[in-house]
């Protein structure tokens, strides 16, 4: 059996007759799992090389050999009639493989031995004694016990969630229970800059959030003529104070990963205006959002999950009759393509952004590709996509940039928006070359070279659009 304690992972043998334990293998840093005894050998799984593979321990000489050399992982060994069976993971998902034991299969390997390391409790006591030693000079600004327990800066992180782009500086305390963030975002719809400061406390099962956001907005609203040429501009500064609670739930974890995240926020809006907005200068808003995902595990060469669903919903409502409401819904459905690495997926979104006077909430809606954003009161989008890999250049500039894969996506977008009595249809189709990039060995991003044919409104839209877009950043 496998045991785990502060000294590491052990493979143990229990003698039932003698009621005694015998240690067969011990390692401090490497996992051991699923032991299967057969004659004078024990087969097991381990991630010694960073990838799970099958290993064999010879009980006669305690020599360990690596049996499998799977690219993505091998698990769950079992032996029947001198044949080794195990689960192998590749581009097709999980498959059962077998190999005869009569062949010389393995190569000798060495597992790292147990080391004598202090337990966490012993380390904490020694650290506190060191801090309390009067002979040690401590600079309170950086090295005090309280400061290190409170906050620790761990770096910046780009944010790419169209229609918003931004960058954040994150800090985290040593207990990893409190996170603070300072960020700057740019909204592509309204072309405004947002500054925000947030804090999250996750000592308990739920996450407590609080923050403030400042933005200078320029709202365009359709005038009485009800066409896009009669937009009325409105400049004002908006400050939003917020606090709320978040409940992250992991529903299932196996072939399908299912997650549910629920957030409830209470926001207070303050407006400093240059022109009358016909909305109160301050009002309170209740914001409820939920995100559900159920995605089948994808092999590395698959461009998207072979099956899955993703749904994100937001509802925002002022607590008095003079403030507006907003409802936004966005989702994706994934299906396998004609080949095992291809993907057919659908995207859809809907937004109802109520206007009070000339004020509305910041829009979350993305128009059809190739079209300029318009401030619709109600809008929806349906998109069909077929994506496939076309090349694996594996090109890297050391420490800076890597290009792992190039994909192609063909799409058709259909959207419709309405403001007052004016309605616009937005249809486009085209293709995208998508480059899977890795920056500074830390961030994964998709950069797209787009060719878009716009079908509607040739007078106000270019019929052909070439562009560069950044879709995801992880």
């Amino acid at each position: 059996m496998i045991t785990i304690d502060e000294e590491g992972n052990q493979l143990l043998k229990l003698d039932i007759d003698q009621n005694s334990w015998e240690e067969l293998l011990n390692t401090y840093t490497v996992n051991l799992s699923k032991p299967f005894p057969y004659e004078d050998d024990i087969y097991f799984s381990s991630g010694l090389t960073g990838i799970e593979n099958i290993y064999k321990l010879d009980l006669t000489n305690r020599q360990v050999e690596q049996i499998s050399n799977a690219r993505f992982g091998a698990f769950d060994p079992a032996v029947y009639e001198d044949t080794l069976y195990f689960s192998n993971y590749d581009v097709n998902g999980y498959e059962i493989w077998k190999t005869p034991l009569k062949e010389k299969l393995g190569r000798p390997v060495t597992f790292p031995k147990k080391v004598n390391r202090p337990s966490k409790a012993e380390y904490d006591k020694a650290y506190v004694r060191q801090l309390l030693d009067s002979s040690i000079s401590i600079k309170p600004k950086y090295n005090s016990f309280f400061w290190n327990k409170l906050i620790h800066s761990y770096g910046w992180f780009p944010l790419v969630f169209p229609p918003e782009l931004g960058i954040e500086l994150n800090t985290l305390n040593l207990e990893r229970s409190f996170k603070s963030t300072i960020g700057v975002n740019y909204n592509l719809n309204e072309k405004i800059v947002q500054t925000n400061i947030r804090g999250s406390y996750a000592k308990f099962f739920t996450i407590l959030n609080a923050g403030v956001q400042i933005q200078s907005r320029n709202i365009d609203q359709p005038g009485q003529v009800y066409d896009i040429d009669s937009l009325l501009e409105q400049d004002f500064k908006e400050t939003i104070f917020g606090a709320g609670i978040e409940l992250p739930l992991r529903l299932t974890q196996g072939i399908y990963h299912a997650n549910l995240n629920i957030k409830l926020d209470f926001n207070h809006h303050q407006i400093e205006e240059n022109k009358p907005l016909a909305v109160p200068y301050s009002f309170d808003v209740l914001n409820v959002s939920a995100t559900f995902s159920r995605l089948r595990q994808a092999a590395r060469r698959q461009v998207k999950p072979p099956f899955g669903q993703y749904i994100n919903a937001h509802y925002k409502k002022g607590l008095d009759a003079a403030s507006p409401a907003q409802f936004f819904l966005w989702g994706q459905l994934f299906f396998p393509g004609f080949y095992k690495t291809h993907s057919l997926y659908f995207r859809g979104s809907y937004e109802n952004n109520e206007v009070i006077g000339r004020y509305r909430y910041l829009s979350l809606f993305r128009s059809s590709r190739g079209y300029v954003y318009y401030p619709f009161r109600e809008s929806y989008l349906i998109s069909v996509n077929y994506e496939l890999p076309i090349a694996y250049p594996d090109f890297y500039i050391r420490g800076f940039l890597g290009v792992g894969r190039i994909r192609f996506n063909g799409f058709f977008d259909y959207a419709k928006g309405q403001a007052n009595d004016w309605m616009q249809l937005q249809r486009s189709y085209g293709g995208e070359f998508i480059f899977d990039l890795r920056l500074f060995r830390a961030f994964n991003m998709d950069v797209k070279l787009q060719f878009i044919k716009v079908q509607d409104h040739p007078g106000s839209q270019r019929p052909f659009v070439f562009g560069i877009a950044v879709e995801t950043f992880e």
Side-chain angles (χ1 to χ4, degrees):
M1 68 174 62
I2 304 294
T3 63
I4 302 175
D5 58 22
E6 293 182 351
E7 296 182 351
N9 305 317
Q10 299 92 31
L11 177 60
L12 302 180
K13 175 184 176 182
L14 172 62
D15 189 328
I16 300 178
D17 295 331
Q18 300 295 326
N19 193 24
S20 63
W21 293 91
E22 180 183 0
E23 184 178 280
L24 304 178
L25 181 65
N26 187 296
T27 176
Y28 187 82
T29 59
V30 179
N31 68 300
L32 308 171
S33 63
K34 302 297 179 69
F36 189 94
Y38 184 76
E39 296 182 349
D40 293 331
D41 302 318
I42 295 180
Y43 297 85
F44 61 93
S45 302
S46 178
L48 176 64
T49 63
I51 299 175
E52 288 281 332
N53 269 291
I54 307 302
Y55 295 83
K56 180 186 74 172
L57 172 64
D58 190 333
L59 296 178
T60 60
N61 56 19
R62 301 300 173 90
Q63 176 67 50
V64 180
E65 294 182 355
Q66 181 177 341
I67 302 300
S68 69
N69 190 25
R71 183 175 181 183
F72 302 124
F75 315 86
D76 305 322
V79 179
Y80 179 72
E81 294 184 350
D82 291 331
T83 301
L84 173 65
Y85 297 85
F86 60 92
S87 176
N88 183 74
Y89 184 67
D90 60 12
V91 294
N92 298 314
Y94 288 96
E95 298 178 339
I96 297 177
W97 285 24
K98 67 177 182 178
T99 182
L101 293 181
K102 295 180 180 179
E103 301 178 3
K104 182 173 176 58
L105 300 176
R107 61 179 182 87
V109 295
T110 302
F111 277 73
K113 301 298 183 180
K114 177 179 67 175
V115 295
N116 294 323
R117 300 188 181 185
S119 65
K120 184 178 183 303
E122 294 172 339
Y123 178 84
D124 290 342
K125 290 179 181 179
Y127 183 61
V128 172
R129 285 197 300 268
Q130 183 185 25
L131 292 176
L132 296 178
D133 190 343
S134 59
S135 64
I136 300 177
S137 176
I138 299 177
K139 296 180 180 180
K141 184 176 181 180
Y142 301 105
N143 297 329
S144 72
F145 182 75
F146 174 78
W147 181 260
N148 281 326
K149 291 286 285 184
L150 177 65
I151 193 170
H152 175 67
S153 176
Y154 68 91
W156 58 275
F157 193 81
L159 294 179
V160 182
F161 299 106
E164 293 190 352
L165 310 176
I167 186 171
E168 290 185 345
L169 175 65
N170 297 315
T171 63
L172 194 68
N173 69 336
L174 297 184
E175 293 182 345
R176 305 182 67 85
S177 60
F178 178 78
K179 176 183 177 181
S180 59
T181 301
I182 301 175
V184 178
N185 296 342
Y186 181 75
N187 185 278
L188 297 173
N189 285 347
E190 293 195 7
K191 297 179 173 57
I192 64 171
V193 177
Q194 306 164 308
T195 304
N196 58 80
I197 301 175
R198 302 192 308 273
S200 300
Y201 184 70
K203 183 71 172 180
F204 311 104
F205 179 72
T206 56
I207 302 174
L208 304 179
N209 301 307
V212 58
Q213 178 175 296
I214 302 174
Q215 53 195 15
S216 296
R217 299 181 61 187
N218 184 298
I219 283 187
D220 293 331
Q221 293 293 348
Q224 298 301 318
V225 186
Y226 303 126
D227 61 36
I228 206 62
D229 296 326
S230 63
L231 291 178
L232 303 177
E233 293 188 356
Q234 174 64 65
D235 299 324
F236 63 96
K237 178 181 177 182
E238 184 176 22
T239 304
I240 304 174
F241 301 90
I245 189 171
E246 180 177 352
L247 182 63
L249 299 174
R250 177 174 292 178
L251 305 181
T252 62
Q253 186 174 7
I255 296 179
Y256 284 89
H257 287 191
N259 298 280
L260 176 64
N261 188 283
I262 302 173
K263 293 180 66 177
L264 177 64
D265 296 311
F266 178 81
N267 298 329
H268 178 74
H269 292 238
Q270 289 187 350
I271 297 176
E272 299 176 15
E273 58 182 353
N274 297 330
K275 300 176 184 179
L277 276 176
V279 71
Y281 288 101
S282 66
F283 55 95
D284 298 321
V285 176
L286 185 64
N287 187 7
V288 181
S289 65
T291 301
F292 171 79
S293 63
R294 182 178 180 270
L295 304 174
R296 182 184 174 93
Q297 290 191 63
R300 296 196 180 189
R301 287 183 176 267
Q302 291 177 314
V303 294
K304 300 290 184 183
F307 289 99
Q309 307 85 39
Y310 183 94
I311 300 175
N312 179 254
H314 291 259
Y315 180 72
K316 187 181 295 186
K317 181 66 177 74
L319 299 183
D320 57 79
S323 53
Q326 179 189 42
F327 176 73
F328 175 77
L329 181 66
W330 185 82
Q332 292 189 101
L333 296 175
F334 297 96
F335 299 95
F338 295 108
Y339 189 67
K340 55 188 176 183
T341 59
H342 298 190
S343 178
L344 171 67
Y345 59 98
F346 300 85
R347 289 178 176 175
S349 63
Y350 171 81
E351 183 179 62
N352 190 316
N353 201 352
E354 186 180 359
V355 179
I356 298 294
R358 292 181 183 172
Y359 177 86
R360 69 176 187 277
Y361 298 115
L362 201 63
S363 175
L364 301 174
F365 188 80
R366 297 178 62 187
S367 304
S368 292
R369 277 164 278 202
Y371 286 86
V372 177
Y373 164 76
Y374 291 152
F376 297 117
R377 185 188 186 280
E378 187 175 18
S379 48
Y380 68 85
L381 167 72
I382 299 175
S383 175
V384 182
N385 301 264
Y386 191 89
E387 190 172 318
L388 66 152
I390 58 176
Y392 293 87
D394 289 329
F395 170 77
Y396 292 92
I397 301 176
R398 185 173 181 180
F400 173 64
L401 175 67
V403 183
R405 178 173 58 182
I406 302 176
R407 297 172 279 152
F408 178 79
N409 178 45
F411 65 87
F412 174 77
D413 291 346
Y414 181 95
K416 184 180 291 187
Q418 184 169 354
N420 298 327
D421 293 334
W422 177 76
M423 186 272 292
Q424 185 185 72
L425 183 65
Q426 298 179 345
R427 294 174 297 175
S428 64
Y429 61 88
E432 304 170 318
F433 288 96
I434 308 171
F435 297 83
D436 295 355
L437 304 183
R438 185 167 180 83
L439 294 180
F440 311 115
R441 299 181 179 178
F443 305 117
N444 297 321
M445 64 183 296
D446 293 345
V447 175
K448 299 181 176 182
L449 299 181
Q450 300 174 319
F451 172 80
I452 306 170
K453 177 64 171 68
V454 173
Q455 290 187 271
D456 301 298
H457 309 285
S460 59
Q461 302 283 159
R462 293 176 294 170
F464 296 96
V465 178
F466 297 91
I468 299 178
V470 179
E471 179 69 18
T472 59
F473 214 125
E474 299 177 349

